[in-house]
């Protein structure tokens, strides 16, 4: 499980989220409460089957930016599983500040916990097989680092973070290398692998997309380190695994669902990548309750 | 249907998306293609039931930022419906630049079209009833303006954009106004409405959340302009509508799905708000094909 | 009186202000004082008739950004009235840091207190009448949130914060809706109100500008929630009030001065909006004195 | 007359201004006009005594950022004088875009033209004397470069832009250098000048504030290049000028108004600095009219 | 040779560079030239042994941001070798704009060309050996993407761009994994390799630092993909190469100079990494000449 | 010795540096250490002849941004000389955070200390002569304030920070003022000085570049405050000094090295400016060691 993204990134994302929600103030709270209201707020998991918590570090920063005097206490930590009804985070201070921070904090928590929870479901579905569930670059613009962190909190593994940190030769690369008037063939697969090995940064493995078994053979011939099987059915995946015989890592991609992921895992690939982890995970249900508390005598500034 | 957000906001969001994906370059494309490759790229809708296009203005900016020499042609415009297999956008120029821009452009288009398409499904489901489908503030941090624009492209209506542009007294406000040791009652509903009317900006209507019919009565007594019925069942919604008799707009919220939205609409509310429009819309399926083309003699610089 | 804008906005504005003043250092202070000079600085009100303090939260952030070791003590709080000669804020620490921070801190305080003080004068001038003094969007680019906050500190009320949070149909909208070759008439006023009610966000009231009594009648017919009387003389305002009979809020705008505002208030409008509150308020006079103090034995790091 | 600030600064300021006004869209225009409305907008001077135009470069950028398809034509250029009723700028294109851009464009133009116009009044008032009207660092946070540019457009001269580009030893510097328990004397004035000459960047002149003639003598003794006479009455200024005999430039500051500036100029200083040029200039009155035009056949994309 | 970093990154870096140099205007040019001066500027290589050009894309953006009316013509392209005295870039337009842009444009070109030129010297020194010259993460803060691009223009290869795109187990990692009170041994080298292979992103090769031949053996045992020989002398490098027998890539690092790089290359490593490429490359000498030209009749706006 | 740049600038530069290095996380550290590792890190000087420390304020901010729980202790302060092997800074806390921060902290320290150390060498070389070593605007884009601060820490003096804070008439200004078809002569030197004195900000001295003794005479005639002798040999510099007789400050520029700077100083100029201080200073050698420590019982939150 990876460390969270650097604090300065989190801070910047929170600045933007609050700019969206609070740049014109909070007209409701301002109208109702002219003075501070000592209060306690609790963020509670509301998913019948539980959820995997992700984003607490961000939520805490939301409260701090809205009002540095708010105090947060965490009952769980990022990556923990929260049963339905469990309190995850408690915040104390001026209730008006909580009302201003509530939506932004929940928006981060719900999206990230949604991703972590969906990832955990996929990981759970393939339990027992030696296969990794990996994400893709199909993330929300501006949120990639957080979303990929959430994937790891759910037990998943990160594929490329950007076009700069992994060589992946895809169908469009092959089409361009084939030239005008002719489709890409297995010949181009092998050739592209060789070119990449020659010219790409030495620290990166070479991965190539294959849509047929002939492509897979060419990839092996081109000494690819990893082969992406794109949208193959399970029997073909199995034959590809047999064909490769461990000479390259095999990644399966395309059309993977909770319903078919275990069957795919059984076919023997090393990795299964799923765009939906980040582009279509439903938000996890979390809510915040704010109640007034008796004012305490305070020794603080 | 609203105009897109201001161009400078779109530009900034694209800058951030490209920073995520391209800050370390594109090692694959750099390795394979040392020189420009004249090409044509097409973005194609891949949803069996079609989709509502949203985000073309953003995708065009992605291509422009990656390479100002790329030329985009639009076959459809934002808000149009695209049948399965339809080409939405064509781009011409150096294929290497398309490979660099592809993912960022698709990430915007898929998320926004996903939201517009889901919104359109809800609007379609209530066809014939005089009710508006509205969004919430449950948006992706940093993407609110774009996501709310997508909702309007799907035929929906925007609720508050921020805490500054609408008065909405929610359960947490009522709890705080009740004070320590006692739950909020209908009395607090009426009183909060009066306070808000007195002190909130005059240009805004007053909306209050009600969880019982007693609350609804109190809201009317407090002269609320709008009443949010929170998580009520359909018979109760119907009785609330009868009770209000047009003296306030009625918004229904909580637990709305494509399965029950028509039944809710039949109960007679003015608005139905749905957080899932923005927080849980699955990405629309769109793909990009890039093929090499014959180099044209060019008169340009 | 509203809460200050979110802290992250204040911080960002202070970053920019210091970038303008300190990016190349402080050549005078650097030349004169090679080592720290323990000192006490005081910010003092220098307006014969007193002033309304606005911007302390910002000034404190200026000192903190220049030197986190400076300690500020506030004698008054934002929104308080300061008599001539009164100390508002005291800062202790290295005098060199105060010399660097002085101008930026005063620039914020003087502008914001100037706005709050002018607003308070207008509010005072209409005392006894049930009318609100409201601002406009005629603010300094980049400073809107702070300037509108200052208006509320002076006792005023905020009109729209942006084009997104209030419907206000103005003369230019009417001209465009009239089409080429013909001026806008009362007919267009009523029609525009109806269109806006149909299509604008439901949470917002509809306001329309009227320059004649005929327009006012049309606005009522179009069921406007608010009517902006533009540049009308007092007798006409009075007739408009009679005509409307409480069916809409009436806002008076244009040519309002401290000399005539009471007479206008007597005519019975609900709101009087004044662009000068933000675009032409003279800076409040505030000064900072810095004196050396004996070095204290310190237990701090 | 100086060139405008670098384009990238102007662009950034416009981005921020539009973020304030348009981040949530323009609900009025969106509601009234579902399709483009070909129109012509004109910005007109509305000051009985005319005004000095400042900020056209910024206004043009506002229109470009809102809608790159808008075309601006300038009838005057920055620094020109505009008589009452004169059209300064004409814009053609979609009227909806003009409605969105209008307020931001006017906010820049009104503030900057207000500063240029007030500066021109002061310059005019001292016509015939060999004295320069100069500004101060009492500018609006974030707007310094634009405001100082406006001063030059009105015929004024810029004093320091920041603490880094001029040595100015002020009363607070002298107080700190005197040490605890004793007030600063002329002795400290001379000593500070010598220190600054020794240690400050060689490319900068040394200026020192003097509040008595004794201080002026000490400044000459310390070989100051410039002497700031702070809040002196006119006879004392005259005696200071006699005393200095051209060995240093003399700047007068404090309490300068249009009523007394000519008398001060007659006393013979080289420079008169006026904080009000930037901190209290009333906005110049400018308005924008938008009218629909017949749609032209267009050959453009 | 890689494509330049994305245009939006270049634009942002130029914005910052101009903010440093031009935020307070150009007092010299403003004073001397009140009107435009048609001119031609040329940027010329001034290195007796020639230089490798890097940064033209950035210099062109500098001129565009200062004045969009300036026209640039390139005689060479990034990566080309420029002999002493050769004109690299010609710019036409207002000479005042060139004076404002000159220093910023040269600062980018000189640093980047300095890096490219030094890299080319190292590449040249090892000509004939199958070894790559690679950079490190020892770059100027904020300039990494540009500096790494310059390395490729000089013929070098990029090592890691960030901590996220390559696994490199260094001495400090080994020390931490050894625990308190005991130094890291070869045992820790092998163990760390195994852990990394198990847990690090699958798309990345595993590289480990080795300071002894024993470590090298352990790295092979741990199935490292790459071994970094840190500060070894040439005979030891040779023995390490023999020992590894192609089972991993070998990178040499530490103390590499133009004087010894060929001898190191002869020892047979796959890669030689050199921090000085980016952290200590002297600026390449380039100058700009600006001469007035006759005003041309212009057809432009 | 000047104070460091304002904290907000330092913070922003650190944000950017960490964005480059950590935006995709630290895959190595994440893979090896799933839990916190209590550790102590030390930054050590590794220059045989010692170095001048510069940038500690920045390094401390790097550690704070990566992990606010890290505690830094400084053994030296900015501007101090560090002998070979001396510990400069010690940091305590989670070793994983140190591994993430190490490179960014060192990159700042090495560049800035490199500049301070080189400056100190030049200052030392001219010891005994009354001459200042000054920098130029040939700085790394984005790093100017830090690099110029490093120059002062090494004992040097800052020349212009930007085009806005000093008048320096250079060869290109003279060429433009000469007009088409004729080279600039001494006549233009004198004339440009007069123009600048008339029109440039009064607070700035006038400096002019001279390449011949005739130019020097013209500069004196034009009453220049400072004369820049460009690329003159030592005998000519001596004659220029004799000629000027203290009527202006003399700055020598061009071709200055550690080998010839003392001879130049002996010729009697007031200032010697050296671009290499900032554009070609080699990085100072500093390293960081991280060792695990026994976990302490902790009383902190």
């Amino acid at each position: 499980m990876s460390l969270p993204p650097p604090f300065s990134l989190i801070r910047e994302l929170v600045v933007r989220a609050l700019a969206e929600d609070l740049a014109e103030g909070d007209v409701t709270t301002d109208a109702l409460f002219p003075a501070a209201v000592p209060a306690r707020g609790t963020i509670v998991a509301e998913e019948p089957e539980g959820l995997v918590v992700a984003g607490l570090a961000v939520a805490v920063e939301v409260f701090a930016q809205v009002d540095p005097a708010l105090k947060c206490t965490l009952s769980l930590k990022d990556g923990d599983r929260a049963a339905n009804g469990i309190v995850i985070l408690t915040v104390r201070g001026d209730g008006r500040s909580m009302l201003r921070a509530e939506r932004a904090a929940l928006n981060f928590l719900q999206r990230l916990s949604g991703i972590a929870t969906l990832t955990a479901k996929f990981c759970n579905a393939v339990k027992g097989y030696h296969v990794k569930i990996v994400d893709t670059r199909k993330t929300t613009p501006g949120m990639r680092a957080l979303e990929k962190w959430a994937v790891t909190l759910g037990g998943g593994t990160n594929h490329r973070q950007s076009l700069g940190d992994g060589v992946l030769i895809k169908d469009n690369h092959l089409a361009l290398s084939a030239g005008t008037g002719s489709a890409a063939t297995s010949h181009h697969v092998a050739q592209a692998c060789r070119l990449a090995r020659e010219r790409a940064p030495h620290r990166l493995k070479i991965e190539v997309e294959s849509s047929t078994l002939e492509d897979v053979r060419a990839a092996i011939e081109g000494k690819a380190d990893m082969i992406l099987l794109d949208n193959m059915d399970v029997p073909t995946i199995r034959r590809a695994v047999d064909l490769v015989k461990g000479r390259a890592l095999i990644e399966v991609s395309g059309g993977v669902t909770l319903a078919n992921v275990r069957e795919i895992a059984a076919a023997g690939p090393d990795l299964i990548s799923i765009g939906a982890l980040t582009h279509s995970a439903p938000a996890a249900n979390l809510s915040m309750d704010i109640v007034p508390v008796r004012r305490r005598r305070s020794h603080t500034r």
Side-chain angles (χ1 to χ4, degrees), chain A:
Chain A
M1 184 189 313
S2 68
L3 289 170
F7 177 65
S8 45
L9 173 64
I10 291 175
R11 187 179 58 194
E12 180 60 21
L13 288 166
V14 171
V15 166
R16 282 183 218 146
L18 292 180
E20 283 181 341
D21 212 28
L22 270 177
E24 303 185 358
D26 176 352
V27 290
T28 312
T29 302
D30 279 356
L32 297 183
F33 307 107
V37 187
R40 183 183 63 242
T42 45
I43 293 184
V44 182
E46 305 222 327
E47 286 286 346
E49 303 173 38
L51 53 82
V52 176
V53 185
L56 287 170
V58 190
V60 166
E61 174 66 9
V62 170
F63 290 112
Q65 283 197 15
V66 169
D67 179 353
L70 292 176
K71 306 276 180 229
C72 289
T73 317
L74 304 181
S75 321
L76 295 176
K77 60 182 199 305
D78 284 311
D80 283 352
R81 176 162 284 279
N84 195 12
I86 286 293
V87 169
I88 291 169
L89 179 156
T90 305
V91 54
R92 288 180 178 80
D94 186 351
R96 301 180 303 169
S97 301
M98 295 176 201
L99 287 163
R100 294 174 138 216
E102 174 187 4
R103 187 72 262 142
L106 288 175
N107 281 351
F108 279 109
L109 279 173
Q110 292 188 248
R111 170 164 302 272
L112 298 177
S113 300
I115 290 171
T117 303
L118 182 59
T119 305
K121 282 182 186 162
F122 275 100
C123 289
N124 206 47
V126 300
K127 194 159 279 180
Y129 290 104
H130 190 74
V131 66
K132 288 179 175 175
I133 298 298
V134 303
D135 56 22
T136 65
R137 284 165 44 248
K138 298 179 179 177
T139 55
T140 314
M143 294 278 286
R144 183 169 288 172
L146 287 183
E147 293 185 351
K148 293 214 156 215
W149 174 51
V151 165
T152 69
L153 292 171
T157 299
N158 295 151
H159 207 294
R160 292 193 293 180
Q161 298 259 7
S162 74
L163 288 170
D165 69 351
V167 176
L168 175 42
I169 304 165
K170 304 196 72 175
D171 52 355
N172 279 330
H173 292 99
L174 296 169
L176 281 192
S177 67
T180 34
S182 56
T185 65
S186 306
H187 167 71
H188 299 104
V189 169
Q191 187 187 40
C193 290
R194 277 189 294 260
L195 257 175
R197 180 166 304 278
E198 178 64 26
R199 298 207 204 121
H202 54 280
R203 75 189 181 279
L204 302 171
K205 294 185 182 164
I206 307 299
E207 180 169 16
V208 67
E209 186 173 320
S210 301
S211 41
T212 65
L213 291 176
E214 199 178 352
D215 285 354
V216 172
R217 264 179 225 107
I220 292 294
E221 181 199 327
K223 294 196 200 284
D225 299 299
M226 300 174 57
I227 303 174
L228 175 71
L229 307 184
D230 187 44
N231 274 310
M232 285 187 184
D233 57 20
V234 172
T236 317
I237 293 170
R238 209 173 291 127
R239 287 165 62 197
V241 170
D242 289 347
L243 201 153
V244 170
K245 289 199 190 68
R247 286 171 293 177
L249 293 178
I250 291 184
E251 174 181 349
V252 169
S253 175
V256 182
T257 65
L258 279 170
N260 66 10
V261 69
R262 190 164 182 83
E263 189 191 357
I264 292 170
D270 301 280
L271 308 141
I272 301 175
S273 62
I274 305 164
L277 293 187
T278 49
H279 74 49
S280 297
N285 214 351
L286 289 153
S287 68
M288 182 162 178
D289 294 317
I290 307 176
V291 295
V293 296
R294 219 167 287 279
R295 200 178 298 269
R296 290 186 290 176
R297 264 161 296 147
S298 164
H299 306 286
T300 60
R301 44 163 190 139

